[in-house]
Structure formats: structure tokens, C-alpha cells
């Protein structure tokens, strides 16, 4: 992400939400790296909980 992209996100989300989003991405990145280091793999949840490609937010809320 470059500075321009970050600035657009701050304008759109507000600074507190941008900080929260950044922290969430960092934590999920850490989880992914730990899982990879421990050799943990998927448990197959995606196979039964797949989101249709191009689904709108309204469609996702009704599921």
C-alpha cells in the first residue's frame, strides 16, 4: 500500500477505523505466519461456506 492509498482510506474511514483496520490486518498476517510455521493447514470450512463470486453485500447478509 502506498501513501496515497492510505490517505484515501483515512479520508473514507476516518483515522480511528483506519488504525483498527491496520491492526486487524497485522494480527491476521501474524496468525497466517504462525500457522505456516507450525505446518497448520485448512480444515475445509471453505468447501461448505463458499461465498459466490461477485455477491453483493445484501446477498451476503441474508445467508
Amino acid at each position: 500500500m502506498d501513501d496515497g492509498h492510505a490517505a484515501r482510506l483515512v479520508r473514507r474511514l476516518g483515522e480511528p477505523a483506519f488504525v483498527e483496520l491496520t491492526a486487524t490486518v497485522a494480527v491476521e498476517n501474524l496468525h497466517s505466519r504462525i500457522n505456516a510455521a507450525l505446518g497448520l493447514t485448512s480444515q475445509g470450512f471453505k468447501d461448505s461456506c463458499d461465498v459466490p463470486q461477485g455477491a453483493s453485500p445484501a446477498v451476503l447478509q441474508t445467508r
Side-chain angles (χ1 to χ4, degrees), residues 11-61:
R11 281 194 305 273
R12 183 167 184 146
L13 301 175
E15 194 167 318
F18 178 75
V19 171
E20 185 175 348
L21 175 63
T22 303
T24 301
V25 169
V27 167
E28 291 305 321
N29 186 32
L30 177 64
H31 288 164
S32 178
R33 289 174 183 265
I34 289 172
N35 289 346
L38 295 175
L40 301 175
T41 59
S42 171
Q43 296 179 348
F45 293 120
K46 182 186 179 304
D47 298 337
S48 62
C49 300
D50 201 13
V51 176
Q53 185 174 357
S56 69
V59 170
L60 298 177
Q61 290 175 356

